[in-house]
Amino acid sequence: MSSVSGLLAGKSVLITGASAGIGAAAARVFCREGAAVTLVARREAELAALAAELAAAGHRARYAVADVSRAADAARAVAVAVREFGRLDAAFNNAGVSVPAEPMHLMDDAAYDTVMDTNVRGVWNCMRYEVAAMLEGGGGGSIVNNSSTAGLVATVACSPYIASKHAVIGLTRAAANEYGPAGIRVNALATGGTRSDMLAGWLAGDHPAREEAMAGKAMLRRLAEAREIAEAAAWLCSDRSSYVTGAAVPVEGGRLSR
Ligand SMILES: NC(=O)c1ccc[n+]([C@@H]2O[C@H](COP(=O)([O-])OP(=O)(O)OC[C@H]3O[C@@H](n4cnc5c(N)ncnc54)[C@H](OP(=O)(O)O)[C@@H]3O)[C@@H](O)[C@H]2O)c1
């Protein structure tokens, strides 16, 4: 019997976008729940510091410096998880970017490419190697892709971001349908406004007033803490959500029902 207890006891879980915000919070929550984690992002210093923090607390954490928009990087990151922990049980594909909100006709191609390359191609790249590793392991698996309320409705004034997050839900449903028979579940989070560097970017300028306006749209009348999104991801990664797949799970304080 494993000496580790928790929702993710003994599971090998890969987290992208783990150098900051929701991904870093997920690393702490998943470890608390017994997972061995592989942290993935582009900034090595942040990943190394987080891995050291987790190891000092007695957890198992490794990291892979990778740009998820590059297939070879995604392949290498998944290979690190399998090499270090013997297999891959779950993945939280959370890496994402946004660009300043502007009317569509004023945006340039670079803004579109930046968002699509990370948010859509990144999820595509990661899922393909994750699924391959899970099929190889033969024990099923669980993949969680971080979409957004903007993956379901036009909650922000940034068209490439909205398009990218809708695409994440499309990829989620496609993969859930393809790999359900192999016992691999794939879900998305329809994440609401959450305190992070990305949100600070959106709120730049008139910060308190914009924050209040955004928070006020949720039934709970506040923004999420990154940890609250990570808790939902942990449940979806775990066997406790065993009959949930192909879903876009709202974690948005009631924003979409109001
Ligand atoms: N905050 C919100 O209000 C909110 C709402 C809905 C959905 N979301 C989604 O939640 C996810 C996490 O966002 P956050 O708020 O935690 O933002 P954040 O604090 O800016 O963190 C973004 C993370 O993604 C990583 N990343 C970006 N591009 C990458 C790439 N090409 N390859 C690998 N890693 C990359 C960043 O690390 P490096 O820079 O080190 O690569 C960082 O760790 C995103 O997908 C975002 O769209 C956020």
Side-chain angles (χ1 to χ4, degrees), residues 120-233:
V120 185
R121 189 180 290 278
V123 168
W124 161 260
N125 284 338
C126 290
M127 275 210 295
R128 293 170 71 223
Y129 292 104
E130 291 158 3
V131 161
M134 288 170 180
L135 291 172
E136 180 78 23
S142 177
I143 295 174
V144 181
N145 297 320
N146 203 354
S147 178
S148 168
T149 52
L152 294 168
V153 293
T155 46
V156 292
C158 184
S159 49
Y161 188 79
I162 290 171
S164 74
K165 292 302 185 179
H166 274 69
V168 167
I169 291 176
L171 283 174
T172 298
R173 290 183 176 137
N177 191 39
E178 280 185 41
Y179 300 107
I184 298 172
R185 298 182 297 109
V186 189
N187 291 288
L189 293 180
T191 298
T194 306
R195 290 182 194 285
S196 71
D197 294 346
M198 180 182 285
L199 191 87
W202 278 331
L203 297 176
D206 185 16
H207 199 293
R210 287 199 201 180
E211 177 171 330
E212 203 178 310
M214 185 182 261
K217 288 180 179 162
M219 287 179 173
L220 292 176
R221 309 294 200 280
R222 65 173 177 84
L223 298 172
E225 299 299 329
R227 185 195 53 77
E228 296 178 284
I229 310 303
E231 296 283 358

Side-chain angles (χ1 to χ4, degrees), residues 9 22 35 56 59 62 81-82 100 104 109 146 150 165 186 203 211 218 233:
I22 295 168
H59 302 301
R62 300 285 187 274
V82 172
M104 200 185 296
D109 288 348
N146 203 354
K165 292 302 185 179
V186 189
L203 297 176
E211 177 171 330

